[in-house]
Amino acid sequence: MTYQPYFEYGTDRTSRWTVTSDHAANTVPDFVNAGDLGLDPQHMDRHIAYDIGAEGLARALGELLNGPVICSNFSRLVIDPNRGIDDPTLLMKLYDGTIIPANRHAGAAELSQRLEACYHPYHNALGTLMQRRADPVLLSIHSFTPQLQGRPKRPWEIGVLYAHDDRLARPLLDVLCEQGDLTVGDNEPYLGHLPGDAVDRHALANGHLNVLIELRNDLIETPEQQNAWAARLAPLLETALERTNL
């Protein structure tokens, strides 16, 4: 079977929303060290390899928002589609205290192969989805671990990430805080912009509305949790979009 670097769902949906899950899978294609990064299987099931629960949440949100969804089908440790080409963490050699053996000595030829087989096809497909209409809105779904090694526990259930363009992020932060029962991160647990990342490339560069949501991964481990969060978030996202008046 030919390797497929991404999956798309609902490409005939008609709303403004395009939903992405950049770190949807922990797949290691066969052409990368015979399908093995040299890590114990337990590490491939951790947040270092993919965003736990993000794919299911993204797909559920796509259905509720009537927007297409695109999910990567390669581990972020193979190559990270949410990094620019020049980003030194594009091909990670150490993540949260874990050395990635198959990446440790990866050179230019290995990087080029992964770009051509994984990274570029994903971004080309996402670019096509964003061209469906003149006023697309990019919704990027990610998840984060409750605690990095040797660091304090993270207090947030959800984070809203953005760069200089907060036209959608700011009303979404307001709507989420109005819920009254959430600890909401404002550009937490990460800053919302890396030059050349997926949001930069497909939204900021073209002036499109955008927001990146981070959910704590222990809250979206099961399909039931993913569906419940999607049902909660979808109307809040629609309200935030309405408040932009754009």
Side-chain angles (χ1 to χ4, degrees):
M1 181 181 295
T2 303
Y3 169 68
Q4 186 171 343
Y6 60 88
F7 293 107
E8 294 176 303
Y9 307 93
T11 54
D12 58 346
R13 295 173 186 155
T14 58
S15 82
R16 296 178 65 183
W17 298 98
T18 294
V19 186
T20 66
S21 180
D22 299 325
H23 301 145
N26 59 0
T27 306
V28 181
D30 287 343
F31 60 81
V32 177
N33 200 44
D36 186 350
L37 291 174
L39 292 170
D40 290 338
Q42 64 179 356
H43 290 304
M44 292 304 298
D45 289 331
R46 294 175 56 217
H47 68 280
I48 66 170
Y50 74 121
D51 280 359
I52 295 163
E55 178 186 5
L57 178 60
R59 292 180 62 179
L61 279 168
E63 290 184 11
L64 294 172
L65 296 170
N66 191 35
V69 180
I70 183 168
C71 298
S72 68
N73 186 34
F74 50 93
S75 172
R76 69 199 307 167
L77 299 179
V78 170
I79 194 164
D80 194 332
N82 197 36
R83 296 292 186 272
I85 293 291
D86 297 326
D87 193 304
T89 63
L90 178 66
L91 198 159
M92 292 289 288
K93 303 190 177 186
L94 175 70
Y95 196 148
D96 195 18
T98 299
I99 293 173
I100 319 303
N103 293 351
R104 191 170 186 176
H105 302 294
E110 181 71 20
L111 175 60
S112 178
Q113 181 184 36
R114 299 186 195 186
L115 284 168
E116 292 303 318
C118 300
Y119 184 98
H120 292 318
Y122 175 79
H123 281 289
N124 290 340
L126 174 51
T128 297
L129 288 179
M130 289 292 289
Q131 293 168 11
R132 292 176 303 120
R133 46 186 298 164
D135 59 349
V137 179
L138 182 60
L139 171 61
S140 183
I141 299 299
H142 293 254
S143 71
F144 64 93
T145 184
Q147 186 174 16
L148 291 170
Q149 289 191 34
R151 305 284 185 87
K153 287 187 176 181
R154 291 164 160 171
W156 314 281
E157 288 89 21
I158 186 169
V160 176
L161 277 56
Y162 55 93
H164 55 273
D165 178 7
D166 64 353
R167 292 174 297 168
L168 180 55
R170 188 56 55 192
L172 180 58
L173 282 163
D174 292 342
V175 170
L176 288 168
C177 290
E178 287 165 11
Q179 297 292 291
D181 63 341
L182 295 173
T183 303
V184 183
D186 183 341
N187 260 342
E188 297 284 2
Y190 310 104
L191 293 178
H193 179 58
L194 292 169
D197 67 12
V199 172
D200 189 9
R201 181 170 178 172
H202 297 287
L204 295 175
N206 301 301
H208 299 318
L209 290 175
N210 64 89
V211 70
L212 189 154
I213 290 178
E214 291 267 5
L215 260 293
R216 207 176 69 211
N217 64 25
D218 61 320
L219 301 177
I220 53 171
E221 291 175 326
T222 68
E224 292 77 16
Q225 290 174 313
Q226 294 155 19
N227 290 333
W229 271 99
R232 181 174 189 178
L233 289 174
L236 303 181
L237 285 159
E238 294 282 31
T239 297
L241 182 55
E242 289 174 6
R243 290 187 184 182
T244 68
N245 294 314
L246 296 171

